[in-house]
Amino acid sequence: MNEKPGIDNPQRKLIVAIDGPAGAGKSTIAWRLARKLGYVNLESGAMYRALGLKAIEQDASFEDEDALLKLAEGSRIRLEPTIGGNRTLLDGRDVSSRIRERDVTEAASRVSVHPKVRAWMVARQQEMGAGGGVVMEGRDIGTKVFPHADVKIFLDADPVVREQRRMEQQKLKAEVAASVAAELRERDRRDRTRAASPLVAAADAVVIDSSSLGEDEVLARAEELVKEKLSD
Ligand code: DC
């Protein structure tokens, strides 16, 4: 009998971290990989988005770190994995669609620069993924949330390709496409240059550049990495 943990041995539940910039394809790959493995997919960005929404609704300043931390502490932010992806609940309200809108996207990026907010988020994310059997995606999963994740993937793509994908995903008209592309670039810059846990690949992450790869090819590569780990 094969006692070795493997893809056929569901006892071993890995933590898979997928990080990378917006538009690299993280969400789709994380979701598809989780489904293949029978794991839970957690979109950490949705938590920052939920807090961004709350800040908008409560008219909190995006600059006021202490006020934002208080807001987070007084909120119930939950990710509910479903077969179609994560449902995001803010104080019991389903905000899954609302948090994808442009104003919330901007707010999420702005609230996520604050170290105290990040520490609060990271602690929640660690609780959620502690049991393993999880594919968590974000910006700092392999560096801060799970520095000992079993598999770390940094999914990158050329900025022009990422902008193009966003345009297509969101079926944007030409007149708004340019400003959305500019916002994506600005968010990228903020994510990569912030002092607290900037977006970088963990030293032990496998970098996959999806610029010229199809979704199935990226998924196959990710699956390969999981299989390698399971047969260690
Ligand atoms: O992945 P996303 O676009 O939904 O993330 C929204 C914002 O949250 C993004 O601007 C960066 C931030 N974020 C973060 O700082 N750390 C994470 N682990 C996930 C997202």
Side-chain angles (χ1 to χ4, degrees), residues 104-120:
V104 180
T105 299
E106 168 72 10
S109 168
R110 306 230 353 229
V111 302
S112 72
V113 301
H114 299 295
K116 290 179 189 170
V117 169
R118 300 200 66 82
W120 186 88

Side-chain angles (χ1 to χ4, degrees), residues 27-44:
S27 303
T28 313
I29 294 303
W31 175 71
R32 288 185 64 187
L33 183 65
R35 289 206 65 186
K36 278 231 155 173
L37 300 169
Y39 283 12
V40 162
N41 165 33
L42 294 170
E43 276 184 71
S44 64

Side-chain angles (χ1 to χ4, degrees), residues 5 11 20 22 32 34 48 54 58 123 136 143 151 164 168 232:
Q11 265 106 296
R32 288 185 64 187
Y48 290 94
K54 186 129 179 184
Q58 307 263 319
M136 193 177 285
T143 51
V151 176
Q164 192 61 41
E168 284 163 15
D232 264 1

Side-chain angles (χ1 to χ4, degrees), residues 3-224:
E3 292 293 344
K4 229 176 159 189
I7 207 108
D8 301 323
N9 180 351
Q11 265 106 296
R12 187 156 172 222
K13 297 269 188 197
L14 304 185
I15 295 179
V16 181
I18 304 186
D19 290 300
K26 295 186 305 289
S27 303
T28 313
I29 294 303
W31 175 71
R32 288 185 64 187
L33 183 65
R35 289 206 65 186
K36 278 231 155 173
L37 300 169
Y39 283 12
V40 162
N41 165 33
L42 294 170
E43 276 184 71
S44 64
M47 298 177 68
Y48 290 94
R49 286 173 181 268
L51 180 62
L53 173 59
K54 186 129 179 184
I56 291 172
E57 290 178 344
Q58 307 263 319
D59 219 7
S61 160
F62 297 145
E63 317 298 327
D64 190 339
E65 178 168 19
D66 289 325
L68 291 169
L69 175 64
K70 253 195 168 155
L71 212 54
E73 287 171 343
S75 305
R76 279 177 297 126
I77 297 176
R78 276 192 45 213
L79 297 182
E80 212 177 72
T82 73
I83 200 116
N86 280 182
R87 228 158 66 98
T88 308
L89 300 171
L90 174 61
D91 300 324
R93 177 165 53 112
D94 187 341
V95 294
S96 313
S97 308
R98 176 69 181 97
I99 59 167
R100 300 291 151 195
E101 290 175 23
R102 275 170 84 180
D103 59 337
V104 180
T105 299
E106 168 72 10
S109 168
R110 306 230 353 229
V111 302
S112 72
V113 301
H114 299 295
K116 290 179 189 170
V117 169
R118 300 200 66 82
W120 186 88
M121 292 286 179
V122 166
R124 303 287 83 71
Q125 290 154 5
Q126 287 170 334
E127 286 162 14
M128 288 191 279
V134 61
V135 181
M136 193 177 285
E137 54 117 335
R139 304 290 190 288
D140 62 344
I141 310 305
T143 51
K144 292 281 175 204
V145 181
F146 293 115
H148 304 296
D150 301 286
V151 176
K152 295 186 191 181
I153 296 170
F154 191 87
L155 190 56
D156 210 347
D158 185 272
V160 177
V161 173
R162 291 191 284 114
E163 283 165 23
Q164 192 61 41
R165 284 184 190 153
R166 266 294 131 94
M167 306 301 112
E168 284 163 15
Q169 265 169 9
Q170 299 178 359
K171 300 188 178 62
L172 297 177
K173 295 204 174 75
E175 52 276 25
V176 283
S179 60
V180 169
E183 283 168 15
L184 184 100
R185 252 171 276 145
E186 172 54 20
R187 271 211 301 147
D188 243 21
R189 190 202 55 76
R190 201 181 288 132
D191 290 347
R192 289 182 198 268
T193 58
R194 67 181 173 223
S197 341
L199 171 66
V200 289
D204 53 350
V206 175
V207 179
I208 303 179
D209 186 333
S210 74
S211 307
S212 56
L213 295 177
E215 215 179 275
D216 289 347
E217 289 168 296
V218 176
L219 181 67
R221 179 78 186 107
E223 253 191 285
E224 220 177 279

